[in-house]
Amino acid sequence: MDFAPSARSKEYQEQLLRFMDEHVYPAEPIYHRQMTESGDPHHHPAILEDLKAEAKKQGLWNLFHPHAGTGPGLSNVDYAPLAEIMGRSPQLGPEACNCNAPDTGNMEVLELYGSEAHRRDYLNPLLDGEIRSAFAMTEPGVASSDATNVSMRMERVTGYTAEGSNKPLDGYVLNGRKWFSSNGMRPNLKVLIVMGKTSPEAEPHRQQSMLVVPADAPGVHIVRDLPVFGYHDREGHAELEFEDVFVPDHDILLEEGAGFRISQDRLGPGRIHHCMRAIGMAERALELMCERALSRSTFGKALAERDTIQERIANARIDIEQARLLTLKAAWMMDTVGNKAARQEIAAIKVAAPQVALRIVDEAIQVFGGEGVTSDTPLAHMWAGLRSLRLADGPDEVHRMTIARQELRKYK
């Protein structure tokens, strides 16, 4: 196994580290001030556009994109350290370089399965960072960790005449609810990729389809913005209601019944990107913990001299190195034998990385004391995001089930 990044990846790393030091970290207090002054949790702060312009200027744009020409065409192993670096500032780093979820996954889906019209109307503006997108799969009424439970109805219709149009079209009428549709509250949200049930009588993994739906389509309603541990994230996690939403045939992705396949294609890279960014958060939390331990004293002794603090720091370093190696192994397997063959490794790191990062952030909060639970440090927001990540893209239990089944298969 060779996890060594290429010379090209090393160049990007050096450049990205400078970009973070010179532009992103100094922008964090400006970002928080602009958000506070706006009074809107979904405000798009001007500082972010400044960062995006600088990232474009430096060629640090769409680094995630595996297709040469559209992006730099890096392998997963080459992209891994870059995602980690951006993840150190989760509110600014990824979006500054147009590498933020869920847009990255949606861009890959549109690249692979979208039409020329989808590329023109949505993919190209997404690649340029001009608009945002949401992925609508999870539902409030069912256990959505099992995608076959998805209950949104996508009923086939012919000769449908939309309001204000005289031209009858064939397509689908959507009815149902989705929630945790991240990016759902963005002011520049333009498109939804929606998974629902088109063929209830088909075998379980051929019942679902994915459709491209304009965010302002008639019948799409925002029910509410879902807070996460009390935070209203800037992108928003929307609960959406679809009420007789018509989507024409040409907006189906790949074909009817391909929804489950597309979701697996999308979630494989998405999961490992999340893990890479989580390790970046863990590294920043450890850095903050060490700086705090060296600068604070209690009862006449520096925190860094206390055995309990040293043990936490040592364990954090061990855990980060283990998680990083497992992530790189999964990335290497995705590059060499494909996502399907790397399924067990992807599942393993999706369990391990968020748990490791969450534990280290929690330890850092403890070292900071009361300040650690405020917004004066990035730790509290990191904690909320990482705890949520243990549910996003499949909860720990589903990934453990995948791992166990793979293991048991060896002995049957």
Side-chain angles (χ1 to χ4, degrees), residues 26-132:
E28 288 179 338
I30 301 171
Y31 165 82
H32 288 296
R33 185 177 70 247
Q34 290 180 351
M35 290 298 296
T36 301
E37 290 173 353
S38 76
D40 176 5
H42 311 301
H43 175 66
H44 187 75
I47 189 63
L48 192 48
E49 287 302 312
D50 293 342
L51 290 173
K52 287 164 65 176
E54 183 63 31
K56 279 186 179 180
K57 179 181 172 183
Q58 294 192 25
L60 298 171
W61 193 253
N62 291 333
L63 297 171
F64 78 95
H65 211 293
H67 302 283
T70 306
L74 297 172
S75 68
N76 285 294
V77 167
D78 279 346
Y79 179 64
L82 308 182
E84 179 181 326
I85 293 167
M86 289 182 279
R88 290 171 59 88
S89 181
Q91 291 176 303
L92 291 181
E95 189 168 353
C97 299
N98 212 39
C99 293
N100 52 299
D103 290 315
T104 50
N106 292 340
M107 283 187 262
E108 288 196 52
V109 167
L110 291 172
E111 181 83 45
L112 292 171
Y113 304 114
S115 66
E116 285 304 312
H118 294 148
R119 174 177 287 275
R120 180 193 67 235
D121 295 340
Y122 304 122
L123 178 57
N124 290 338
L126 281 167
L127 290 167
D128 290 338
E130 296 171 354
I131 67 171
R132 299 273 68 108

Side-chain angles (χ1 to χ4, degrees), residues 1-4 75-78 80 268-269 272 276 324-349 406-407 410:
M1 296 181 189
D2 184 3
F3 303 153
S75 68
N76 285 294
V77 167
D78 279 346
I272 199 164
M276 296 164 180
R324 182 182 288 117
L325 284 171
L326 183 53
T327 303
L328 288 171
K329 182 193 176 187
W332 175 80
M333 289 190 66
M334 291 167 73
D335 290 337
T336 55
V337 295
N339 295 0
K340 187 173 182 180
R343 187 180 178 193
Q344 186 170 14
E345 284 71 19
I346 294 171
I349 195 55
Q406 292 281 94
E407 284 296 310
K410 300 172 185 177

Side-chain angles (χ1 to χ4, degrees), residues 145-310:
S145 55
D146 177 359
T148 62
N149 285 333
V150 167
S151 62
M152 168 174 274
R153 301 196 314 277
M154 292 178 164
E155 295 177 313
R156 183 94 178 114
V157 294
T158 56
Y160 184 93
T161 304
E163 187 176 342
S165 172
N166 295 321
K167 183 181 179 182
L169 296 169
D170 297 342
Y172 301 86
V173 172
L174 280 57
N175 282 284
R177 284 204 179 197
K178 299 289 183 179
W179 69 349
F180 289 102
S181 298
S182 299
N183 272 354
M185 304 302 295
R186 296 263 195 180
N188 56 347
L189 173 70
K190 296 299 181 186
V191 63
L192 312 168
I193 295 179
V194 185
M195 183 166 171
K197 193 163 285 190
T198 50
S199 311
E201 306 306 318
E203 60 97 3
H205 294 95
R206 290 288 298 173
Q207 294 179 2
Q208 310 83 16
S209 298
M210 280 196 191
L211 301 177
V212 176
V213 182
D216 61 356
V220 177
H221 308 295
I222 296 174
V223 178
R224 57 174 172 156
D225 175 34
L226 294 161
V228 177
F229 290 106
Y231 285 101
H232 282 278
D233 291 326
R234 184 165 53 84
E235 65 269 27
H237 307 291
E239 180 173 354
L240 303 172
E241 181 177 18
F242 293 75
E243 186 177 10
D244 293 330
V245 178
F246 175 73
V247 181
D249 273 347
H250 55 72
D251 282 329
I252 195 165
L253 290 171
L254 188 57
E255 63 184 8
E256 190 171 299
F260 187 83
R261 170 188 162 181
I262 297 171
S263 72
Q264 294 307 299
D265 289 346
R266 182 189 185 281
L267 291 173
R271 285 165 179 154
I272 199 164
H273 292 176
H274 275 312
C275 294
M276 296 164 180
R277 289 188 291 264
I279 292 169
M281 284 186 255
E283 279 284 9
R284 181 125 187 242
L286 176 56
E287 178 182 300
L288 292 170
M289 181 172 19
C290 290
E291 290 173 351
R292 180 76 166 194
L294 288 165
S295 65
R296 284 295 173 108
S297 297
T298 59
F299 307 104
K301 192 175 184 179
L303 289 176
E305 296 176 20
R306 299 194 177 277
D307 291 346
T308 53
I309 301 299
Q310 291 183 4

